Amino acid sequence: MTESPPIRFGVIGCAEIARKVSRAISLSPNASLHAVGSRSLEKAKAFAIANGFPEGAKVYASYEEVLDDPNVDAVYMPLPTSLHVRWAVSAAKKGKHVLLEKPVALSALEFDEIVEACESSGVQLMDGTMWMHHPRTAAIKEFLSDTQRFGQLKSIHTIFTFGADPDFLENDIRVKPDLDALGSLGDEGWYCVRAILFANNYELPKTVLASREPVLNKAGVILSCGASLFWEDGRVATLYCSFLSNLTMDITAVGTKGTLHVHDFIIPYEEKKASFYAASESGFDDLVTRWGSEPSKHVIENDLPQEALMVSEFSRLVAEIKFNKSKPEKKWPTISRKTQLILDAVKASIDRGFEPIQIKE
Amino acid sequence: MTESPPIRFGVIGCAEIARKVSRAISLSPNASLHAVGSRSLEKAKAFAIANGFPEGAKVYASYEEVLDDPNVDAVYMPLPTSLHVRWAVSAAKKGKHVLLEKPVALSALEFDEIVEACESSGVQLMDGTMWMHHPRTAAIKEFLSDTQRFGQLKSIHTIFTFGADPDFLENDIRVKPDLDALGSLGDEGWYCVRAILFANNYELPKTVLASREPVLNKAGVILSCGASLFWEDGRVATLYCSFLSNLTMDITAVGTKGTLHVHDFIIPYEEKKASFYAASESGFDDLVTRWGSEPSKHVIENDLPQEALMVSEFSRLVAEIKFNKSKPEKKWPTISRKTQLILDAVKASIDRGFEPIQIKE
């Protein structure tokens, strides 16, 4: 990494998740907290004080002012999904790099507007899928890519659920049709879809089919749903997401020669290390009364929490553009778009009475 | 347990699995190996010698002779599924209690013939689902039934796969349409369906839908498939079974307040103990950077291997009938039938181009 000055962040909106990411910006050696904007100046001030913004940090009573601050290099955008197009496009047009919370948009079509604006302005776009940046994720990838230990992927099963409290189910933006209209699918299903695509080297499935009996609230927002994804060669994937069940974060991937289990893939049990279980060529003793060997536990340590690693990687790309005239890294918006495309298909399948949806890139 | 003499078993057929169950009969304090029958006397003799049959054990060159032996109380029947109706009905008619390998039949309709014959003769019928008899299973049940620790079941996801070798895929009875015509669904899916029903207190789902893209061999036998089950109140279940993937045996059950993980539910990693993972009211620290607590590991020890516990329980019921004039326990054939009914529905859904199948008891 070059010894360039840190990338200066403006935080747009004071959502809960912004606390965690502000800390991550502080922890990240190549990033700094420069400004925060809220529709309320009081709220912005209180947020800056509570979240370790430095003395000279700017506090604004609007999102516009953050975008107009010439010293802001990049914005972190934890706004409700329905506001993403407007504010991400504005940010890009003003030359700000964009770290965008997930789901990135309400549809892939909408997301394309953001991508276009970022490409036109030559700014980096990355979504806030933190677990992608944990070193465990790279270790898992290594296992899944190992033709000897894992073989070919045959099926992957993912779950992300948590038990929302009554206040959440009544008032959170994630149950409001005008804010995060994709509900549990957008908030939780996003991670499941990403894990599925990650394990499939981002090869899109041929067909997506939503499960019957999703749970919707009165406003029609998804509180719980599932889906199956199918590839032409017989690979299958399932996802299940819900606001109505105990916290669960599972990846189970089964290959011809190996099996992967991860139980905390989105947020590891601990901040400074994370594990996964890998089994290879599992079998039984002669009488089939016990296994020949148990899956092995792999522990990966990380010096910085995964959200700080995300900020660091984003800032590294931004610094490359700012100081070394590099082009933005297209990998990140590309996988954001594929993830969104599958969410769109699950939603469409539900809306059309559980019809299978063919995926076209 | 009364101090009655052991129940004398006749083993019909010398399948691989019969080795394990013969050992289980030897290990079981209330059971004894009395006879074995095969179409080949040589094979029966070799089997008896290799599998610890006592000196005076009978060796027969036909299944009929086992059924005609007045000293045989019960038969263990590891025959190909297509032969179950014929031989289980014959055994029942001759007053023999029947321990029947799974899948119990090629359809619920066929199984009903076996049930009827056993009921008419007043003999006990039980299927060979060994894990039902492991004390871990009772401990899991306790967790799933705990309204404080687990709450209400919302979803359950099950996997049973193993990597069959080329010889198996060419020659095993489980890939032959005239022997075990249900293939992977009958052999592996059976356990997944049983686990799903077990967790749902044997309440049948409303709808069963097979997953797209099952893998069939040239003869049309299922090598790999999946399905989803739906209850009216929004509960869902998934199963995935395959002869084409690494050995995996998973139950993941998610309730409103708790989560269960079992990775070796059918055959535990070790013979004399088995574990499961339970999480309750899982949550995060304030900044959502790590979990408040990790799932806890529960280890259950068993004095006898689960297959011997199965034989013991079956023999206890038989002894109750034989010595105490009890009636056969209907619980076992009832859950066998329900399991078979769901297999039938998965098969029907595949055959009808992935139509949802309504379940009628």
Side-chain angles (χ1 to χ4, degrees):
Chain A
M1 203 177 290
T2 53
E3 279 295 335
S4 47
I7 298 304
R8 296 161 300 181
F9 275 79
V11 175
I12 287 188
C14 300
E16 268 295 304
I17 183 88
R19 295 168 56 215
K20 176 173 172 172
V21 176
S22 293
R23 172 170 169 267
I25 294 167
S26 299
L27 288 172
S28 183
N30 57 349
S32 67
L33 287 166
H34 179 77
V36 56
S38 169
R39 283 165 303 173
S40 139
L41 188 65
E42 284 317 302
K43 217 171 150 189
K45 269 186 189 163
F47 185 89
I49 291 165
N51 291 286
F53 278 63
E55 283 280 305
K58 302 291 181 183
V59 174
Y60 296 117
S62 73
Y63 305 151
E64 283 93 347
E65 288 169 277
V66 177
L67 301 187
D68 286 331
D69 184 332
N71 291 320
V72 165
D73 298 310
V75 291
Y76 168 63
M77 206 167 280
L79 298 172
T81 313
S82 60
L83 301 179
H84 283 192
V85 176
R86 176 174 166 200
W87 290 106
V89 167
S90 290
K93 283 188 174 163
K94 291 187 176 168
K96 309 302 185 195
H97 304 272
V98 181
L99 181 58
L100 186 62
E101 261 312 324
K102 35 59 55 185
V104 289
L106 293 170
S107 70
L109 211 63
E110 245 196 41
F111 183 61
D112 286 343
E113 289 185 48
I114 298 173
V115 173
E116 216 174 276
C118 289
E119 285 189 351
S120 296
S121 298
V123 296
Q124 182 65 47
L125 175 59
M126 182 189 275
D127 72 48
T129 311
M130 299 166 179
W131 67 267
M132 299 295 298
H133 303 273
H134 197 293
R136 173 176 63 175
T137 305
I140 289 173
K141 188 66 180 180
E142 205 179 313
F143 175 61
L144 295 178
S145 306
D146 190 322
T147 53
Q148 290 308 305
R149 290 191 300 152
F150 186 74
Q152 284 174 282
L153 180 69
K154 287 288 188 176
S155 74
I156 169 168
H157 309 276
T158 62
I159 304 173
F160 181 19
T161 63
F162 60 80
D165 60 28
D167 180 55
F168 179 109
L169 292 174
E170 193 66 37
N171 301 313
D172 196 271
I173 58 168
R174 287 165 280 186
V175 300
K176 300 292 184 189
D178 54 335
L179 298 172
D180 279 359
L182 294 172
S184 159
L185 176 63
D187 187 44
E188 300 173 314
W190 173 274
Y191 292 108
C192 295
V193 169
R194 175 60 60 83
I196 290 168
L197 291 175
F198 160 80
N200 280 285
N201 296 317
Y202 302 103
E203 190 194 326
L204 289 168
K206 189 180 86 175
T207 313
V208 171
L209 179 68
S211 302
R212 276 144 203 276
E213 316 283 351
V215 181
L216 313 182
N217 68 10
K218 281 180 193 157
V221 176
I222 298 167
L223 302 181
S224 168
C225 72
S228 300
L229 287 68
F230 305 99
W231 283 258
E232 217 145 32
D233 62 3
R235 265 173 295 158
V236 299
T238 62
L239 67 94
Y240 179 74
C241 54
S242 176
F243 290 149
L244 308 173
S245 288
N246 188 54
L247 177 59
T248 306
M249 292 181 168
D250 276 18
I251 299 175
T252 309
V254 191
T256 49
K257 294 186 180 175
T259 305
L260 167 78
H261 285 115
V262 195
H263 293 310
D264 57 350
F265 82 99
I266 301 157
I267 296 173
Y269 293 137
E270 299 181 61
E271 249 197 300
K272 294 298 182 74
K273 65 179 183 189
S275 57
F276 66 93
Y277 291 83
S280 289
E281 306 207 62
S282 310
F284 300 114
D285 68 332
D286 173 53
L287 265 185
V288 193
T289 61
R290 58 182 166 77
W291 292 45
S293 63
E294 295 190 27
S296 54
K297 183 177 183 175
H298 299 257
V299 181
I300 287 92
E301 298 190 355
N302 47 312
D303 51 348
L304 286 176
Q306 62 179 5
E307 57 274 14
L309 295 170
M310 172 181 76
V311 168
S312 289
E313 175 59 10
F314 176 75
S315 300
R316 186 185 70 76
L317 294 170
V318 171
E320 283 293 323
I321 297 165
K322 186 177 172 187
F323 301 113
N324 297 336
K325 311 245 176 284
S326 294
K327 297 271 180 218
E329 171 61 79
K330 285 196 175 180
K331 170 191 164 188
W332 295 109
T334 302
I335 65 177
S336 304
R337 186 176 190 282
K338 288 185 174 188
T339 311
Q340 188 76 44
L341 208 57
I342 303 302
L343 295 190
D344 290 4
V346 176
K347 183 70 167 57
S349 181
I350 293 173
D351 291 346
R352 295 179 204 168
F354 314 107
E355 259 184 40
I357 304 293
Q358 303 304 316
I359 300 298
K360 290 176 218 87
E361 208 159 338
Chain B
M1 203 177 289
T2 53
E3 280 295 337
S4 48
I7 297 306
R8 296 160 300 181
F9 276 78
V11 175
I12 287 189
C14 301
E16 268 295 304
I17 183 88
R19 297 168 54 215
K20 177 173 173 174
V21 175
S22 293
R23 171 170 169 268
I25 294 167
S26 299
L27 289 172
S28 182
N30 58 348
S32 67
L33 287 165
H34 179 77
V36 57
S38 169
R39 284 164 302 174
S40 139
L41 189 66
E42 285 316 303
K43 217 172 151 188
K45 271 186 189 162
F47 184 89
I49 291 165
N51 291 285
F53 279 61
E55 283 281 306
K58 302 289 181 186
V59 174
Y60 295 118
S62 73
Y63 306 151
E64 283 93 346
E65 287 170 275
V66 178
L67 301 187
D68 287 332
D69 183 332
N71 291 319
V72 165
D73 298 310
V75 291
Y76 167 63
M77 206 169 279
L79 299 171
T81 313
S82 60
L83 301 179
H84 284 191
V85 176
R86 176 175 167 198
W87 290 105
V89 167
S90 290
K93 284 189 174 162
K94 293 190 173 166
K96 310 303 186 195
H97 304 272
V98 181
L99 180 59
L100 186 63
E101 260 313 325
K102 36 59 53 182
V104 288
L106 293 171
S107 69
L109 210 63
E110 246 196 36
F111 183 61
D112 287 343
E113 290 186 48
I114 299 174
V115 173
E116 217 174 274
C118 289
E119 284 189 353
S120 297
S121 298
V123 298
Q124 183 64 48
L125 175 59
M126 183 189 273
D127 72 47
T129 310
M130 299 165 179
W131 67 268
M132 298 296 298
H133 303 273
H134 197 292
R136 173 176 64 174
T137 304
I140 288 172
K141 188 66 179 179
E142 206 179 314
F143 175 61
L144 296 178
S145 306
D146 190 322
T147 53
Q148 290 308 305
R149 289 192 300 151
F150 187 74
Q152 286 174 278
L153 180 69
K154 288 289 188 175
S155 74
I156 170 166
H157 309 276
T158 61
I159 304 172
F160 181 21
T161 63
F162 60 79
D165 61 28
D167 180 55
F168 179 109
L169 292 174
E170 193 65 38
N171 302 313
D172 196 89
I173 58 168
R174 287 165 281 186
V175 301
K176 300 291 183 189
D178 55 334
L179 297 172
D180 280 357
L182 294 172
S184 159
L185 175 63
D187 188 44
E188 300 173 314
W190 172 274
Y191 292 107
C192 296
V193 169
R194 175 60 60 82
I196 290 168
L197 291 174
F198 160 80
N200 281 285
N201 296 317
Y202 303 103
E203 190 193 326
L204 289 169
K206 188 179 85 175
T207 313
V208 170
L209 179 68
S211 302
R212 276 145 202 276
E213 316 282 351
V215 180
L216 312 182
N217 68 10
K218 281 180 192 156
V221 176
I222 298 168
L223 303 181
S224 167
C225 73
S228 300
L229 288 67
F230 305 99
W231 284 257
E232 216 144 29
D233 62 2
R235 265 173 296 157
V236 299
T238 63
L239 68 94
Y240 179 74
C241 55
S242 176
F243 291 149
L244 308 173
S245 288
N246 187 53
L247 176 59
T248 306
M249 292 181 168
D250 276 17
I251 299 176
T252 309
V254 191
T256 48
K257 294 185 180 175
T259 305
L260 167 79
H261 284 115
V262 195
H263 294 310
D264 58 349
F265 82 99
I266 300 157
I267 296 173
Y269 294 138
E270 299 180 61
E271 249 196 302
K272 294 300 182 73
K273 64 179 183 188
S275 58
F276 66 92
Y277 291 83
S280 289
E281 305 208 62
S282 310
F284 300 113
D285 67 331
D286 172 53
L287 266 184
V288 193
T289 59
R290 58 183 165 77
W291 293 45
S293 63
E294 294 190 28
S296 54
K297 184 176 183 177
H298 299 256
V299 181
I300 286 92
E301 296 188 356
N302 47 310
D303 52 347
L304 287 175
Q306 62 178 6
E307 56 274 13
L309 295 171
M310 173 181 75
V311 169
S312 288
E313 174 60 9
F314 176 75
S315 300
R316 186 186 69 78
L317 294 171
V318 171
E320 284 293 324
I321 298 164
K322 186 176 174 189
F323 302 113
N324 296 337
K325 312 247 177 280
S326 294
K327 297 271 181 219
E329 170 61 80
K330 285 195 175 179
K331 170 192 164 187
W332 295 110
T334 303
I335 66 178
S336 304
R337 187 178 190 280
K338 288 185 175 188
T339 310
Q340 189 76 44
L341 208 59
I342 303 301
L343 295 190
D344 290 3
V346 175
K347 184 69 167 55
S349 180
I350 293 173
D351 291 345
R352 294 181 204 166
F354 314 106
E355 257 183 42
I357 304 294
Q358 304 303 315
I359 301 297
K360 288 176 220 88
E361 208 160 335

